[in-house]
Amino acid sequence: MLGQHPAADRRTVYTLFIIGFFAIFSTTISKNPVLPLFSQALGAGDAVIGLVAAVSPLAGILFSFPVGVLSDHLGKRRLLIVSGAVFLSAPLLYLLISDPLWLIPIRFFHGTATAILGPVIAAMIVVRFPERKGEVLGQYSSATLIGRTLAPLLGGAIISFFVFYPGLVPYRMVYLTAAIAAVPVAVLILLYREETPAPLTVLPFSAFRRSFATFFANRRLRATALVDMATYFAFGAFETFLPLVLLSRGMGAYQAGILFAVQTLIIAATKPSFGRISDRVDKRIQIVVGLFVLGCSVAAIPFASAFATFLLISALLALGMSLSTVATGAYVADVAEKEEMGASMGALSSIMDIGHSAGPLVTGIIVAAGGFGPGFFASFLIAVAVCGFFALSVRDPASEMGSDMV
């Protein structure tokens, strides 16, 4: 419990932040901007490049929930060790290949690292810091966002520095950097000790089925997962199609880069504060307000023409996303059973990844049929519908949170 061992708590927090920073830095520098360039240099066509980009999120969709269940039953350290091993070994595999098709299994393998790390660390935080879970979740998220922001900058700089070297050298130097960045992740995970390690046993399929049923039988958990899905559906549509909207308004790629950088910085800067707010106010109100602000921001994109307007929209979207997502994890921790915390965080992460993957796909179909206006308006409609559904699903008093199941 926080407050009984403040020095140990601080060490744990700093350790988790460093793990999160270097892990996300390592996996992001392996993807942006090097992956499509490396794929093309290996001889991949557009279809293969798209498939390579898609398989990493697929690992999150498939594995986040089972990993969460395993962490509840086998202990979190064992899962983190597996994650650390993948973070360390996957970048080295890129150095060995000359056929672009090998990128497909490697990207899937690499994606399992973040599929494990995210829900396991989230479950660790909410169990270790029950009174400050929103704040610490927000701080951890900000640490990962800093890594996510710095990685493309360094990756691009490395490629530019080695651009005159022959063949695949510039890209392989990036993946070597990713492997070096993963070393502190693996070391810190190995140094982490759980207070009561769980016995190592073979987990029957019924345990996964029971955790799945427990999560989706709880209408509060169900509704909260839908909020994250709607949030990342809209965000996926935004990050995919905003550059095209800017291009249609006569703006360049560097302006899109500025918008994305400002957005990331706003999210990273506000999440700890919004996390502290979620520890003190009704998380349900914060979730609804955040999702509604995000939905309105996305709907406004087709009506913007000046760069300053796009900057304002991007900032509002970042605030809405930060406000909502930091509260959803904390709210799930309030509602879920302690013994199912890993499974609940894993289910939340899987459903979030489904929304993130579906957003660009569905929006692309609508944009192709009716233009940017209807495409972005679809995200707004989904956000408003999910806001209403969430409000109805969680309307009971807080005292009944853990007991009302349907």
Side-chain angles (χ1 to χ4, degrees), residues 17 118-119 121-126 129 132-144 271-272 275-276 278-279 325-333 345 348:
F17 291 176
I121 287 192
M124 288 169 56
I125 287 172
V126 299
F129 306 101
R132 285 179 56 207
K133 53 183 175 288
E135 179 183 356
V136 180
L137 284 170
Q139 291 170 343
Y140 173 76
S141 181
S142 293
T144 64
K271 270 204 168 184
R276 280 192 292 273
S278 76
D279 290 330
T325 54
V326 77
T328 52
Y331 184 68
V332 164
M345 292 299 173
L348 194 69

PDB file of all heavy atoms in Angstrom, residues 17 118-119 121-126 129 132-144 271-272 275-276 278-279 325-333 345 348:
ATOM      1  N   PHE A  17       8.789   3.393 -15.167  1.00  0.00           N
ATOM      2  CA  PHE A  17       8.880   4.477 -16.141  1.00  0.00           C
ATOM      3  C   PHE A  17      10.049   4.248 -17.096  1.00  0.00           C
ATOM      4  O   PHE A  17       9.926   4.458 -18.305  1.00  0.00           O
ATOM      5  CB  PHE A  17       9.058   5.823 -15.442  1.00  0.00           C
ATOM      6  CG  PHE A  17       7.837   6.286 -14.683  1.00  0.00           C
ATOM      7  CD1 PHE A  17       7.870   7.440 -13.933  1.00  0.00           C
ATOM      8  CD2 PHE A  17       6.654   5.550 -14.704  1.00  0.00           C
ATOM      9  CE1 PHE A  17       6.751   7.875 -13.226  1.00  0.00           C
ATOM     10  CE2 PHE A  17       5.540   5.966 -14.006  1.00  0.00           C
ATOM     11  CZ  PHE A  17       5.587   7.122 -13.261  1.00  0.00           C
ATOM     12  N   GLY A 118       2.222  -3.888 -22.008  1.00  0.00           N
ATOM     13  CA  GLY A 118       1.195  -2.912 -21.660  1.00  0.00           C
ATOM     14  C   GLY A 118       0.233  -3.364 -20.577  1.00  0.00           C
ATOM     15  O   GLY A 118       0.138  -2.744 -19.506  1.00  0.00           O
ATOM     16  N   PRO A 119      -0.522  -4.466 -20.806  1.00  0.00           N
ATOM     17  CA  PRO A 119      -1.490  -4.877 -19.780  1.00  0.00           C
ATOM     18  C   PRO A 119      -0.858  -5.351 -18.480  1.00  0.00           C
ATOM     19  O   PRO A 119      -1.423  -5.136 -17.408  1.00  0.00           O
ATOM     20  CB  PRO A 119      -2.259  -6.017 -20.467  1.00  0.00           C
ATOM     21  CG  PRO A 119      -1.444  -6.441 -21.624  1.00  0.00           C
ATOM     22  CD  PRO A 119      -0.646  -5.246 -22.044  1.00  0.00           C
ATOM     23  N   ILE A 121       2.040  -4.289 -17.021  1.00  0.00           N
ATOM     24  CA  ILE A 121       2.475  -3.144 -16.202  1.00  0.00           C
ATOM     25  C   ILE A 121       1.273  -2.354 -15.702  1.00  0.00           C
ATOM     26  O   ILE A 121       1.264  -1.866 -14.565  1.00  0.00           O
ATOM     27  CB  ILE A 121       3.450  -2.251 -16.998  1.00  0.00           C
ATOM     28  CG1 ILE A 121       4.789  -2.980 -17.095  1.00  0.00           C
ATOM     29  CG2 ILE A 121       3.614  -0.893 -16.328  1.00  0.00           C
ATOM     30  CD1 ILE A 121       5.942  -2.131 -17.583  1.00  0.00           C
ATOM     31  N   ALA A 122       0.225  -2.212 -16.532  1.00  0.00           N
ATOM     32  CA  ALA A 122      -0.983  -1.515 -16.064  1.00  0.00           C
ATOM     33  C   ALA A 122      -1.571  -2.227 -14.848  1.00  0.00           C
ATOM     34  O   ALA A 122      -1.976  -1.584 -13.870  1.00  0.00           O
ATOM     35  CB  ALA A 122      -2.008  -1.439 -17.193  1.00  0.00           C
ATOM     36  N   ALA A 123      -1.639  -3.570 -14.910  1.00  0.00           N
ATOM     37  CA  ALA A 123      -2.163  -4.332 -13.771  1.00  0.00           C
ATOM     38  C   ALA A 123      -1.272  -4.170 -12.540  1.00  0.00           C
ATOM     39  O   ALA A 123      -1.763  -4.050 -11.409  1.00  0.00           O
ATOM     40  CB  ALA A 123      -2.286  -5.812 -14.145  1.00  0.00           C
ATOM     41  N   MET A 124       0.043  -4.156 -12.744  1.00  0.00           N
ATOM     42  CA  MET A 124       0.964  -3.952 -11.626  1.00  0.00           C
ATOM     43  C   MET A 124       0.726  -2.601 -10.962  1.00  0.00           C
ATOM     44  O   MET A 124       0.706  -2.490  -9.735  1.00  0.00           O
ATOM     45  CB  MET A 124       2.414  -4.029 -12.122  1.00  0.00           C
ATOM     46  CG  MET A 124       2.892  -5.407 -12.489  1.00  0.00           C
ATOM     47  SD  MET A 124       4.489  -5.350 -13.348  1.00  0.00           S
ATOM     48  CE  MET A 124       5.490  -4.465 -12.163  1.00  0.00           C
ATOM     49  N   ILE A 125       0.531  -1.569 -11.762  1.00  0.00           N
ATOM     50  CA  ILE A 125       0.360  -0.211 -11.228  1.00  0.00           C
ATOM     51  C   ILE A 125      -0.910  -0.101 -10.403  1.00  0.00           C
ATOM     52  O   ILE A 125      -0.898   0.427  -9.282  1.00  0.00           O
ATOM     53  CB  ILE A 125       0.369   0.814 -12.378  1.00  0.00           C
ATOM     54  CG1 ILE A 125       1.787   0.973 -12.930  1.00  0.00           C
ATOM     55  CG2 ILE A 125      -0.165   2.176 -11.896  1.00  0.00           C
ATOM     56  CD1 ILE A 125       1.871   1.820 -14.186  1.00  0.00           C
ATOM     57  N   VAL A 126      -2.038  -0.602 -10.937  1.00  0.00           N
ATOM     58  CA  VAL A 126      -3.306  -0.405 -10.223  1.00  0.00           C
ATOM     59  C   VAL A 126      -3.372  -1.237  -8.947  1.00  0.00           C
ATOM     60  O   VAL A 126      -4.061  -0.854  -7.993  1.00  0.00           O
ATOM     61  CB  VAL A 126      -4.511  -0.722 -11.141  1.00  0.00           C
ATOM     62  CG1 VAL A 126      -4.525   0.203 -12.341  1.00  0.00           C
ATOM     63  CG2 VAL A 126      -4.525  -2.177 -11.581  1.00  0.00           C
ATOM     64  N   PHE A 129      -0.571   0.672  -6.500  1.00  0.00           N
ATOM     65  CA  PHE A 129      -0.886   2.049  -6.116  1.00  0.00           C
ATOM     66  C   PHE A 129      -2.390   2.309  -6.201  1.00  0.00           C
ATOM     67  O   PHE A 129      -2.850   3.089  -7.046  1.00  0.00           O
ATOM     68  CB  PHE A 129      -0.135   3.035  -7.023  1.00  0.00           C
ATOM     69  CG  PHE A 129       1.344   2.814  -7.067  1.00  0.00           C
ATOM     70  CD1 PHE A 129       1.926   2.161  -8.137  1.00  0.00           C
ATOM     71  CD2 PHE A 129       2.150   3.242  -6.025  1.00  0.00           C
ATOM     72  CE1 PHE A 129       3.292   1.948  -8.183  1.00  0.00           C
ATOM     73  CE2 PHE A 129       3.525   3.033  -6.061  1.00  0.00           C
ATOM     74  CZ  PHE A 129       4.097   2.381  -7.141  1.00  0.00           C
ATOM     75  N   ARG A 132      -3.503   5.994  -5.977  1.00  0.00           N
ATOM     76  CA  ARG A 132      -2.929   6.938  -6.954  1.00  0.00           C
ATOM     77  C   ARG A 132      -2.867   6.320  -8.338  1.00  0.00           C
ATOM     78  O   ARG A 132      -2.059   6.733  -9.180  1.00  0.00           O
ATOM     79  CB  ARG A 132      -1.508   7.323  -6.534  1.00  0.00           C
ATOM     80  CG  ARG A 132      -1.404   8.287  -5.375  1.00  0.00           C
ATOM     81  CD  ARG A 132       0.058   8.560  -5.064  1.00  0.00           C
ATOM     82  NE  ARG A 132       0.785   9.068  -6.221  1.00  0.00           N
ATOM     83  CZ  ARG A 132       2.104   8.907  -6.398  1.00  0.00           C
ATOM     84  NH1 ARG A 132       2.815   8.232  -5.518  1.00  0.00           N
ATOM     85  NH2 ARG A 132       2.695   9.415  -7.452  1.00  0.00           N
ATOM     86  N   LYS A 133      -3.714   5.338  -8.603  1.00  0.00           N
ATOM     87  CA  LYS A 133      -3.567   4.579  -9.844  1.00  0.00           C
ATOM     88  C   LYS A 133      -3.728   5.453 -11.078  1.00  0.00           C
ATOM     89  O   LYS A 133      -3.006   5.294 -12.064  1.00  0.00           O
ATOM     90  CB  LYS A 133      -4.547   3.411  -9.884  1.00  0.00           C
ATOM     91  CG  LYS A 133      -6.006   3.745  -9.640  1.00  0.00           C
ATOM     92  CD  LYS A 133      -6.834   2.475  -9.639  1.00  0.00           C
ATOM     93  CE  LYS A 133      -8.287   2.749  -9.283  1.00  0.00           C
ATOM     94  NZ  LYS A 133      -8.438   3.077  -7.850  1.00  0.00           N
ATOM     95  N   GLY A 134      -4.670   6.405 -11.054  1.00  0.00           N
ATOM     96  CA  GLY A 134      -4.851   7.282 -12.207  1.00  0.00           C
ATOM     97  C   GLY A 134      -3.615   8.115 -12.469  1.00  0.00           C
ATOM     98  O   GLY A 134      -3.157   8.246 -13.606  1.00  0.00           O
ATOM     99  N   GLU A 135      -3.048   8.677 -11.409  1.00  0.00           N
ATOM    100  CA  GLU A 135      -1.857   9.516 -11.549  1.00  0.00           C
ATOM    101  C   GLU A 135      -0.671   8.716 -12.070  1.00  0.00           C
ATOM    102  O   GLU A 135       0.030   9.144 -13.007  1.00  0.00           O
ATOM    103  CB  GLU A 135      -1.510  10.138 -10.196  1.00  0.00           C
ATOM    104  CG  GLU A 135      -0.266  11.011 -10.216  1.00  0.00           C
ATOM    105  CD  GLU A 135       0.086  11.547  -8.838  1.00  0.00           C
ATOM    106  OE1 GLU A 135      -0.684  11.295  -7.886  1.00  0.00           O
ATOM    107  OE2 GLU A 135       1.131  12.215  -8.724  1.00  0.00           O
ATOM    108  N   VAL A 136      -0.427   7.536 -11.484  1.00  0.00           N
ATOM    109  CA  VAL A 136       0.740   6.739 -11.883  1.00  0.00           C
ATOM    110  C   VAL A 136       0.541   6.175 -13.289  1.00  0.00           C
ATOM    111  O   VAL A 136       1.498   6.125 -14.082  1.00  0.00           O
ATOM    112  CB  VAL A 136       1.023   5.622 -10.857  1.00  0.00           C
ATOM    113  CG1 VAL A 136       2.234   4.796 -11.278  1.00  0.00           C
ATOM    114  CG2 VAL A 136       1.262   6.214  -9.474  1.00  0.00           C
ATOM    115  N   LEU A 137      -0.675   5.751 -13.633  1.00  0.00           N
ATOM    116  CA  LEU A 137      -0.948   5.314 -15.004  1.00  0.00           C
ATOM    117  C   LEU A 137      -0.672   6.445 -15.992  1.00  0.00           C
ATOM    118  O   LEU A 137      -0.103   6.221 -17.067  1.00  0.00           O
ATOM    119  CB  LEU A 137      -2.397   4.838 -15.149  1.00  0.00           C
ATOM    120  CG  LEU A 137      -2.745   3.462 -14.583  1.00  0.00           C
ATOM    121  CD1 LEU A 137      -4.261   3.254 -14.595  1.00  0.00           C
ATOM    122  CD2 LEU A 137      -2.052   2.352 -15.375  1.00  0.00           C
ATOM    123  N   GLY A 138      -1.073   7.663 -15.625  1.00  0.00           N
ATOM    124  CA  GLY A 138      -0.825   8.809 -16.492  1.00  0.00           C
ATOM    125  C   GLY A 138       0.660   9.100 -16.646  1.00  0.00           C
ATOM    126  O   GLY A 138       1.138   9.390 -17.743  1.00  0.00           O
ATOM    127  N   GLN A 139       1.407   9.010 -15.542  1.00  0.00           N
ATOM    128  CA  GLN A 139       2.849   9.257 -15.601  1.00  0.00           C
ATOM    129  C   GLN A 139       3.550   8.187 -16.435  1.00  0.00           C
ATOM    130  O   GLN A 139       4.447   8.500 -17.234  1.00  0.00           O
ATOM    131  CB  GLN A 139       3.421   9.289 -14.182  1.00  0.00           C
ATOM    132  CG  GLN A 139       2.976  10.498 -13.371  1.00  0.00           C
ATOM    133  CD  GLN A 139       3.361  10.390 -11.912  1.00  0.00           C
ATOM    134  OE1 GLN A 139       3.674   9.304 -11.418  1.00  0.00           O
ATOM    135  NE2 GLN A 139       3.351  11.504 -11.211  1.00  0.00           N
ATOM    136  N   TYR A 140       3.141   6.924 -16.262  1.00  0.00           N
ATOM    137  CA  TYR A 140       3.734   5.847 -17.063  1.00  0.00           C
ATOM    138  C   TYR A 140       3.447   6.057 -18.547  1.00  0.00           C
ATOM    139  O   TYR A 140       4.333   5.914 -19.401  1.00  0.00           O
ATOM    140  CB  TYR A 140       3.193   4.488 -16.606  1.00  0.00           C
ATOM    141  CG  TYR A 140       3.629   3.357 -17.509  1.00  0.00           C
ATOM    142  CD1 TYR A 140       4.919   2.854 -17.441  1.00  0.00           C
ATOM    143  CD2 TYR A 140       2.761   2.825 -18.458  1.00  0.00           C
ATOM    144  CE1 TYR A 140       5.336   1.844 -18.288  1.00  0.00           C
ATOM    145  CE2 TYR A 140       3.165   1.814 -19.305  1.00  0.00           C
ATOM    146  CZ  TYR A 140       4.456   1.315 -19.217  1.00  0.00           C
ATOM    147  OH  TYR A 140       4.871   0.320 -20.062  1.00  0.00           O
ATOM    148  N   SER A 141       2.206   6.418 -18.865  1.00  0.00           N
ATOM    149  CA  SER A 141       1.843   6.676 -20.254  1.00  0.00           C
ATOM    150  C   SER A 141       2.672   7.818 -20.838  1.00  0.00           C
ATOM    151  O   SER A 141       3.104   7.763 -21.993  1.00  0.00           O
ATOM    152  CB  SER A 141       0.351   7.000 -20.355  1.00  0.00           C
ATOM    153  OG  SER A 141      -0.032   7.226 -21.698  1.00  0.00           O
ATOM    154  N   SER A 142       2.910   8.856 -20.043  1.00  0.00           N
ATOM    155  CA  SER A 142       3.725   9.971 -20.515  1.00  0.00           C
ATOM    156  C   SER A 142       5.164   9.532 -20.789  1.00  0.00           C
ATOM    157  O   SER A 142       5.780   9.975 -21.771  1.00  0.00           O
ATOM    158  CB  SER A 142       3.720  11.107 -19.485  1.00  0.00           C
ATOM    159  OG  SER A 142       2.436  11.683 -19.386  1.00  0.00           O
ATOM    160  N   ALA A 143       5.695   8.654 -19.936  1.00  0.00           N
ATOM    161  CA  ALA A 143       7.052   8.145 -20.161  1.00  0.00           C
ATOM    162  C   ALA A 143       7.141   7.393 -21.484  1.00  0.00           C
ATOM    163  O   ALA A 143       8.109   7.553 -22.246  1.00  0.00           O
ATOM    164  CB  ALA A 143       7.472   7.236 -19.003  1.00  0.00           C
ATOM    165  N   THR A 144       6.132   6.583 -21.783  1.00  0.00           N
ATOM    166  CA  THR A 144       6.134   5.848 -23.054  1.00  0.00           C
ATOM    167  C   THR A 144       5.952   6.803 -24.233  1.00  0.00           C
ATOM    168  O   THR A 144       6.540   6.595 -25.297  1.00  0.00           O
ATOM    169  CB  THR A 144       5.035   4.773 -23.083  1.00  0.00           C
ATOM    170  OG1 THR A 144       3.736   5.386 -23.023  1.00  0.00           O
ATOM    171  CG2 THR A 144       5.179   3.795 -21.924  1.00  0.00           C
ATOM    172  N   LYS A 271      -1.399  13.984 -19.250  1.00  0.00           N
ATOM    173  CA  LYS A 271      -1.870  12.720 -18.671  1.00  0.00           C
ATOM    174  C   LYS A 271      -1.634  12.598 -17.164  1.00  0.00           C
ATOM    175  O   LYS A 271      -2.521  12.143 -16.442  1.00  0.00           O
ATOM    176  CB  LYS A 271      -1.289  11.523 -19.424  1.00  0.00           C
ATOM    177  CG  LYS A 271      -2.165  11.079 -20.582  1.00  0.00           C
ATOM    178  CD  LYS A 271      -1.941   9.636 -20.954  1.00  0.00           C
ATOM    179  CE  LYS A 271      -3.019   9.136 -21.887  1.00  0.00           C
ATOM    180  NZ  LYS A 271      -2.902   7.709 -22.196  1.00  0.00           N
ATOM    181  N   PRO A 272      -0.452  12.968 -16.651  1.00  0.00           N
ATOM    182  CA  PRO A 272      -0.298  12.884 -15.184  1.00  0.00           C
ATOM    183  C   PRO A 272      -1.306  13.745 -14.430  1.00  0.00           C
ATOM    184  O   PRO A 272      -1.871  13.309 -13.416  1.00  0.00           O
ATOM    185  CB  PRO A 272       1.138  13.369 -14.971  1.00  0.00           C
ATOM    186  CG  PRO A 272       1.841  13.078 -16.257  1.00  0.00           C
ATOM    187  CD  PRO A 272       0.817  13.322 -17.318  1.00  0.00           C
ATOM    188  N   GLY A 275      -4.644  12.239 -14.714  1.00  0.00           N
ATOM    189  CA  GLY A 275      -4.674  11.051 -13.872  1.00  0.00           C
ATOM    190  C   GLY A 275      -4.941  11.396 -12.417  1.00  0.00           C
ATOM    191  O   GLY A 275      -5.723  10.731 -11.734  1.00  0.00           O
ATOM    192  N   ARG A 276      -4.297  12.487 -11.935  1.00  0.00           N
ATOM    193  CA  ARG A 276      -4.561  12.935 -10.563  1.00  0.00           C
ATOM    194  C   ARG A 276      -6.016  13.360 -10.405  1.00  0.00           C
ATOM    195  O   ARG A 276      -6.644  13.080  -9.378  1.00  0.00           O
ATOM    196  CB  ARG A 276      -3.622  14.098 -10.208  1.00  0.00           C
ATOM    197  CG  ARG A 276      -2.227  13.676  -9.828  1.00  0.00           C
ATOM    198  CD  ARG A 276      -1.433  14.820  -9.211  1.00  0.00           C
ATOM    199  NE  ARG A 276      -1.140  15.862 -10.184  1.00  0.00           N
ATOM    200  CZ  ARG A 276      -0.075  15.864 -10.982  1.00  0.00           C
ATOM    201  NH1 ARG A 276       0.768  14.861 -10.937  1.00  0.00           N
ATOM    202  NH2 ARG A 276       0.119  16.861 -11.825  1.00  0.00           N
ATOM    203  N   SER A 278      -8.546  12.153 -12.070  1.00  0.00           N
ATOM    204  CA  SER A 278      -9.385  10.947 -12.065  1.00  0.00           C
ATOM    205  C   SER A 278      -9.371  10.236 -10.719  1.00  0.00           C
ATOM    206  O   SER A 278     -10.305   9.500 -10.389  1.00  0.00           O
ATOM    207  CB  SER A 278      -8.931   9.985 -13.168  1.00  0.00           C
ATOM    208  OG  SER A 278      -7.740   9.304 -12.802  1.00  0.00           O
ATOM    209  N   ASP A 279      -8.300  10.428  -9.928  1.00  0.00           N
ATOM    210  CA  ASP A 279      -8.244   9.832  -8.587  1.00  0.00           C
ATOM    211  C   ASP A 279      -9.141  10.565  -7.594  1.00  0.00           C
ATOM    212  O   ASP A 279      -9.433  10.052  -6.521  1.00  0.00           O
ATOM    213  CB  ASP A 279      -6.796   9.850  -8.064  1.00  0.00           C
ATOM    214  CG  ASP A 279      -5.892   8.873  -8.805  1.00  0.00           C
ATOM    215  OD1 ASP A 279      -6.401   7.839  -9.268  1.00  0.00           O
ATOM    216  OD2 ASP A 279      -4.694   9.169  -8.932  1.00  0.00           O
ATOM    217  N   THR A 325      -8.615   8.488 -21.880  1.00  0.00           N
ATOM    218  CA  THR A 325      -7.871   7.223 -21.782  1.00  0.00           C
ATOM    219  C   THR A 325      -7.213   7.024 -20.432  1.00  0.00           C
ATOM    220  O   THR A 325      -7.089   5.882 -19.970  1.00  0.00           O
ATOM    221  CB  THR A 325      -6.804   7.139 -22.895  1.00  0.00           C
ATOM    222  OG1 THR A 325      -5.959   8.298 -22.848  1.00  0.00           O
ATOM    223  CG2 THR A 325      -7.452   7.048 -24.261  1.00  0.00           C
ATOM    224  N   VAL A 326      -6.789   8.106 -19.767  1.00  0.00           N
ATOM    225  CA  VAL A 326      -6.176   7.923 -18.455  1.00  0.00           C
ATOM    226  C   VAL A 326      -7.218   7.504 -17.424  1.00  0.00           C
ATOM    227  O   VAL A 326      -6.904   6.822 -16.435  1.00  0.00           O
ATOM    228  CB  VAL A 326      -5.444   9.201 -18.008  1.00  0.00           C
ATOM    229  CG1 VAL A 326      -6.401  10.262 -17.515  1.00  0.00           C
ATOM    230  CG2 VAL A 326      -4.401   8.889 -16.937  1.00  0.00           C
ATOM    231  N   ALA A 327      -8.475   7.871 -17.657  1.00  0.00           N
ATOM    232  CA  ALA A 327      -9.539   7.518 -16.713  1.00  0.00           C
ATOM    233  C   ALA A 327     -10.105   6.128 -16.966  1.00  0.00           C
ATOM    234  O   ALA A 327     -10.585   5.484 -16.032  1.00  0.00           O
ATOM    235  CB  ALA A 327     -10.666   8.554 -16.780  1.00  0.00           C
ATOM    236  N   THR A 328     -10.058   5.643 -18.222  1.00  0.00           N
ATOM    237  CA  THR A 328     -10.641   4.319 -18.498  1.00  0.00           C
ATOM    238  C   THR A 328      -9.876   3.212 -17.774  1.00  0.00           C
ATOM    239  O   THR A 328     -10.477   2.315 -17.180  1.00  0.00           O
ATOM    240  CB  THR A 328     -10.679   4.026 -20.009  1.00  0.00           C
ATOM    241  OG1 THR A 328      -9.374   4.233 -20.577  1.00  0.00           O
ATOM    242  CG2 THR A 328     -11.695   4.903 -20.717  1.00  0.00           C
ATOM    243  N   GLY A 329      -8.535   3.283 -17.810  1.00  0.00           N
ATOM    244  CA  GLY A 329      -7.755   2.263 -17.109  1.00  0.00           C
ATOM    245  C   GLY A 329      -8.000   2.296 -15.613  1.00  0.00           C
ATOM    246  O   GLY A 329      -8.138   1.245 -14.967  1.00  0.00           O
ATOM    247  N   ALA A 330      -8.068   3.506 -15.039  1.00  0.00           N
ATOM    248  CA  ALA A 330      -8.320   3.632 -13.600  1.00  0.00           C
ATOM    249  C   ALA A 330      -9.726   3.155 -13.248  1.00  0.00           C
ATOM    250  O   ALA A 330      -9.935   2.535 -12.193  1.00  0.00           O
ATOM    251  CB  ALA A 330      -8.127   5.081 -13.167  1.00  0.00           C
ATOM    252  N   TYR A 331     -10.693   3.418 -14.127  1.00  0.00           N
ATOM    253  CA  TYR A 331     -12.071   2.995 -13.853  1.00  0.00           C
ATOM    254  C   TYR A 331     -12.202   1.475 -13.930  1.00  0.00           C
ATOM    255  O   TYR A 331     -12.895   0.864 -13.098  1.00  0.00           O
ATOM    256  CB  TYR A 331     -13.032   3.658 -14.838  1.00  0.00           C
ATOM    257  CG  TYR A 331     -14.486   3.344 -14.566  1.00  0.00           C
ATOM    258  CD1 TYR A 331     -15.116   3.827 -13.420  1.00  0.00           C
ATOM    259  CD2 TYR A 331     -15.228   2.551 -15.429  1.00  0.00           C
ATOM    260  CE1 TYR A 331     -16.431   3.538 -13.148  1.00  0.00           C
ATOM    261  CE2 TYR A 331     -16.553   2.253 -15.170  1.00  0.00           C
ATOM    262  CZ  TYR A 331     -17.149   2.746 -14.036  1.00  0.00           C
ATOM    263  OH  TYR A 331     -18.460   2.439 -13.760  1.00  0.00           O
ATOM    264  N   VAL A 332     -11.540   0.861 -14.889  1.00  0.00           N
ATOM    265  CA  VAL A 332     -11.536  -0.606 -14.972  1.00  0.00           C
ATOM    266  C   VAL A 332     -10.951  -1.192 -13.693  1.00  0.00           C
ATOM    267  O   VAL A 332     -11.450  -2.199 -13.167  1.00  0.00           O
ATOM    268  CB  VAL A 332     -10.743  -1.080 -16.212  1.00  0.00           C
ATOM    269  CG1 VAL A 332     -10.389  -2.557 -16.106  1.00  0.00           C
ATOM    270  CG2 VAL A 332     -11.554  -0.838 -17.476  1.00  0.00           C
ATOM    271  N   ALA A 333      -9.900  -0.563 -13.162  1.00  0.00           N
ATOM    272  CA  ALA A 333      -9.315  -1.044 -11.910  1.00  0.00           C
ATOM    273  C   ALA A 333     -10.292  -0.940 -10.749  1.00  0.00           C
ATOM    274  O   ALA A 333     -10.293  -1.781  -9.842  1.00  0.00           O
ATOM    275  CB  ALA A 333      -8.049  -0.246 -11.601  1.00  0.00           C
ATOM    276  N   MET A 345      -7.160  -5.686 -17.821  1.00  0.00           N
ATOM    277  CA  MET A 345      -6.298  -4.760 -18.547  1.00  0.00           C
ATOM    278  C   MET A 345      -5.954  -5.300 -19.926  1.00  0.00           C
ATOM    279  O   MET A 345      -5.850  -4.552 -20.905  1.00  0.00           O
ATOM    280  CB  MET A 345      -5.018  -4.493 -17.748  1.00  0.00           C
ATOM    281  CG  MET A 345      -5.251  -3.710 -16.465  1.00  0.00           C
ATOM    282  SD  MET A 345      -5.962  -2.068 -16.793  1.00  0.00           S
ATOM    283  CE  MET A 345      -6.304  -1.507 -15.126  1.00  0.00           C
ATOM    284  N   LEU A 348      -9.004  -4.824 -22.186  1.00  0.00           N
ATOM    285  CA  LEU A 348      -9.085  -3.407 -22.550  1.00  0.00           C
ATOM    286  C   LEU A 348      -8.085  -3.087 -23.658  1.00  0.00           C
ATOM    287  O   LEU A 348      -8.420  -2.392 -24.630  1.00  0.00           O
ATOM    288  CB  LEU A 348      -8.799  -2.552 -21.314  1.00  0.00           C
ATOM    289  CG  LEU A 348      -9.152  -1.065 -21.392  1.00  0.00           C
ATOM    290  CD1 LEU A 348     -10.665  -0.871 -21.438  1.00  0.00           C
ATOM    291  CD2 LEU A 348      -8.572  -0.325 -20.188  1.00  0.00           C
TER     292      LEU A 348
END
